[in-house]
Amino acid sequence: MNLDEILAEATGPSIPQSTLDLQELSRVWVAERVAPELLPWPETLMERVLAGIRRQVEIVEEQTGDMDSKTNFKLIVIQTELERWKFLVRSLLRARIAKIDAHPHHILFTISPTLASQSSSTSYNPDLLSPAESNYLHTHTALLSSHYSSSFLSTFPSALQSLDDTSGGISMISAPDLDTAVFVRCLEDCTVERTEGGESLILRRGDVWVVRWRGVKLKVERGLCELI
Amino acid sequence: MALPLPPGLTPPEVAFLCEMELVTVIPRQRLDGLELLGGPTPPLTPPLRANLPLWLALLLKRQRRCNILAPPWLHPASLTSILETETEHSKAAFSPAPKLPPKSLSSSSQLTLSPPFLPSSTADSRADALPFHWMEMGELLLSGAADDIADADLVRRLLRDLREVRMAKVRAGVEVLDAGGGVQMNGVGGMEVAEGRAFIGGVVDGLRRIGASREQVKREREAEERERGLANTADDDYDAMDL
C-alpha cells in the first residue's frame, strides 16, 4: 500500500449509492451498445434504477401543482435529469431487443438447459434475459415460425422444415461473431488471452486496448475491464 | 422498437456521456440542493464554487444563473504545452491521459469509478493531461459557455490542432494493427474511439478473415506438398530404375 492509497482511503468521500448506480448503468449501456453479443441482464441494478425513476416521477406529479417559480425551476431540473435516465434505460432495452432479433435461435439455445446441452457452440446461461425479454423472444419466434410454416414451409418436405437445423455439418443458427475487435479500458491489472492458445497480454489499470471480444468477455463481466 | 444502429456509440451518445462529467461553476443565484436520481447536488450560494454535472451547469448557464469555470487543461497555455508534447516529445503515442486514482483496498466490493465519473474537468483537476472526454468537453463548453473561457478563439484553434495531430496518429497507427488484436491505445479520447471504431475494428476483423483464409491455404499447401513430396520420391525411384 503506498501513500496515495492511504490518502485516498482517508480522504475519499463516500459516494452515494445513486451515483454508483448511474456509473453502473452508463457502463452497462455502453457495454451493451458496443459488445457483439447479448450481455447478461443486470437484474438488481435495473430494479433499483426503475424504482428510482418511479419515485422521481411521483415527486414530479405531486409538485406540478405548485405554481411558485422556484419549485418550477427545480422541477425543470428534475425532469431534465429524469429524461436522461429514461434515455439510458430505453436505449439499453432497444439495443438488447436488436440483438435478440438478430440471433433469436442462438439465444433460445443459450437460455434453455436442454437445448444448450445438445449444442456444442453455446453455453447455458439462464440469466441472459429478463422475464419480459424471454417472453418476447418466445412469442416472437413462435409467431415467426408459425407464419413461415403457413406461408411456405409446409410445402417443403418435412425433413427441410425446421428453422434450427444443425445436422449436416452446417448450423442454421446464426450466432454473433465473438472475435470482433472491441475497445476496452482496464480497471484492474489482469492478463488477457490474445488468440486461442496464443500468447497473453498484460493489461495495467488505466490502459486502453483494442482486443478481441472473446478474450475480454469474462473480464468485462467481472468488472476488471470496461468497454468504451 | 429495436435499435437500428450498428454497434458502437454515435457522437451524440458520446457527448451525452460527457455531459455527466463534473465541472466547477460559480453560481449567480441561490439554489437549494436538489435530490436528483444520480445523487444530491450541492446547494448553490453565490459566490461559492460548486461542482455540478455538465448538463446541469449548461442548463444553469443558459438561464444566466451561473458561470462555468473552465477546467485548467482548457486554458491556452496548457493546451499549447500539451500540443507541444503531442508533436515534439511523443511522436507516435498520444499524450498520457490523467491517471485513474488508486483503487482503495477497503472498498473492494465497491464499483470502480471511471470517466465520466472521475473529476477530470473540475477547477482543481490536472492542467497537463487531456481527459477522456476532452474533445466533447471543449466543444460543449465553447458552444454553451464561450464567454467564460479565456481567449475562446485561441482555445478553439488549439483544440482543432490537437484533433488533427491525434487523428494523424490514429491513421499512422493502422500499420501496427494485426489480426490477433491487442493494440494498445492509451490516452485515446472518447470521441476518437467513436470515430475510429468502425475503421480500426473493420481493419482488425478484415485482417483476421484474410488471416483465416491464408491459414487455411497454408494448411492445404502443406498437405499438397506432402503428397507431391511422396510423388517426387516415387518419380526419383522410377528414374533411378530407368538408369
Side-chain angles (χ1 to χ4, degrees):
Chain A
M1 209 195 240
N2 61 26
L3 189 64
D4 281 352
E5 285 172 5
I6 296 168
L7 278 176
E9 239 166 81
T11 59
S14 71
I15 304 154
Q17 180 61 39
S18 45
T19 311
L20 291 178
D21 280 352
L22 181 57
Q23 158 84 77
E24 202 180 343
L25 179 63
S26 334
R27 190 174 288 165
V28 166
W29 171 64
V30 173
E32 197 67 74
R33 291 280 283 109
V34 169
E37 65 171 336
L38 194 68
L39 301 176
W41 172 246
E43 172 91 43
T44 49
L45 169 72
M46 291 313 285
E47 268 172 24
R48 284 200 303 274
V49 166
L50 292 177
I53 290 179
R54 259 195 302 278
R55 255 198 324 277
Q56 206 77 336
V57 170
E58 269 168 32
I59 292 176
V60 171
E61 281 171 355
E62 274 168 25
Q63 296 188 354
T64 27
D66 296 345
M67 287 319 285
D68 169 27
S69 70
K70 210 167 185 182
T71 5
N72 228 336
F73 180 65
K74 267 193 214 165
L75 277 182
I76 291 176
V77 174
I78 289 179
Q79 274 173 318
T80 312
E81 204 223 9
L82 198 57
E83 287 306 320
R84 295 177 63 85
W85 279 67
K86 280 188 186 167
F87 167 75
L88 277 177
V89 172
R90 210 165 33 223
S91 180
L92 172 69
L93 292 179
R94 291 182 66 195
R96 292 179 64 84
I97 291 177
K99 289 184 187 177
I100 295 174
D101 283 349
H103 308 289
H105 287 104
H106 171 75
I107 294 168
L108 266 183
F109 270 57
T110 316
I111 59 170
S112 143
T114 47
L115 289 174
S117 61
Q118 290 167 16
S119 155
S120 55
S121 60
T122 49
S123 53
Y124 174 53
N125 186 355
D127 303 326
L128 197 63
L129 299 182
S130 70
E133 284 170 339
S134 145
N135 192 10
Y136 166 78
L137 173 63
H138 283 108
T139 333
H140 190 241
T141 41
L143 269 176
L144 209 61
S145 56
S146 79
H147 168 65
Y148 283 165
S149 69
S150 68
S151 55
F152 62 91
L153 275 181
S154 54
T155 59
F156 287 5
S158 61
L160 299 178
Q161 284 187 4
S162 65
L163 288 169
D164 50 2
D165 195 357
T166 52
S167 62
I170 298 168
S171 173
M172 271 181 81
I173 302 166
S174 68
D177 182 5
L178 299 185
D179 282 320
T180 312
V182 291
F183 286 75
V184 291
R185 182 191 291 115
C186 178
L187 299 174
E188 261 176 71
D189 296 1
C190 56
T191 49
V192 166
E193 200 106 318
R194 206 171 151 165
T195 42
E196 272 179 67
E199 72 246 75
S200 52
L201 295 170
I202 298 167
L203 270 55
R204 299 249 164 260
R205 179 169 161 78
D207 281 359
V208 174
W209 284 84
V210 184
V211 282
R212 288 191 188 183
W213 166 243
R214 195 193 295 275
V216 287
K217 181 182 168 178
L218 282 175
K219 310 278 189 257
V220 170
E221 279 172 10
R222 263 190 264 144
L224 300 177
C225 293
E226 66 170 342
L227 293 172
I228 54 172
Chain B
M1 271 292 274
L3 203 62
L5 299 167
L9 299 179
T10 59
E13 287 173 332
V14 180
F16 176 85
L17 279 177
C18 171
E19 284 175 345
M20 298 184 198
E21 284 230 24
L22 288 180
V23 290
T24 307
V25 299
I26 304 172
R28 291 160 75 171
Q29 277 181 17
R30 191 178 283 275
L31 185 71
D32 298 337
L34 291 170
E35 280 298 326
L36 293 182
L37 278 169
T41 62
L44 302 181
T45 331
L48 296 179
R49 295 175 177 190
N51 289 344
L52 293 179
L54 179 61
W55 64 266
L56 182 52
L58 286 174
L59 180 72
L60 294 176
K61 169 76 190 168
R62 219 171 297 140
Q63 307 200 342
R64 280 180 292 283
R65 290 173 196 259
C66 78
N67 285 89
I68 298 177
L69 221 61
W73 57 264
L74 201 63
H75 286 294
S78 345
L79 285 177
T80 314
S81 81
I82 295 172
L83 186 60
E84 195 183 318
T85 320
E86 291 272 0
T87 47
E88 304 294 328
H89 303 302
S90 68
K91 287 209 161 77
F94 297 122
S95 64
K99 271 201 179 119
L100 296 186
K103 193 175 161 58
S104 56
L105 296 174
S106 64
S107 55
S108 54
S109 61
Q110 212 187 33
L111 203 68
T112 330
L113 292 181
S114 64
F117 295 95
L118 292 169
S120 57
S121 292
T122 51
D124 49 3
S125 62
R126 286 177 55 178
D128 56 346
L130 289 180
F132 184 63
H133 286 297
W134 67 274
M135 202 196 289
E136 309 85 291
M137 177 64 78
E139 205 59 46
L140 284 167
L141 285 181
L142 280 173
S143 63
D147 50 330
D148 287 340
I149 295 171
D151 235 337
D153 285 334
L154 183 58
V155 166
R156 191 170 285 130
R157 214 180 66 218
L158 284 167
L159 283 177
R160 197 61 33 101
D161 287 351
L162 271 171
R163 181 180 140 77
E164 298 263 310
V165 170
R166 290 166 63 101
M167 278 322 275
K169 286 180 185 177
V170 172
R171 282 194 293 269
V174 169
E175 284 172 26
V176 302
L177 294 178
D178 63 0
V183 183
Q184 195 168 9
M185 299 190 81
N186 282 10
V188 73
M191 200 59 94
E192 288 153 345
V193 171
E195 269 181 296
R197 187 192 314 276
F199 182 61
I200 292 172
V203 169
V204 171
D205 289 344
L207 282 173
R208 173 166 56 83
R209 244 163 262 143
I210 295 168
S213 60
R214 193 193 294 147
E215 203 124 287
Q216 193 156 357
V217 167
K218 198 176 155 198
R219 232 175 289 132
E220 277 169 11
R221 200 191 300 135
E222 275 172 7
E224 209 173 281
E225 268 168 20
R226 226 175 295 125
E227 264 173 42
R228 202 187 298 144
L230 284 174
N232 278 346
T233 45
D235 279 352
D236 287 347
D237 286 352
Y238 185 72
D239 287 347
M241 276 169 74
D242 213 12
L243 283 165

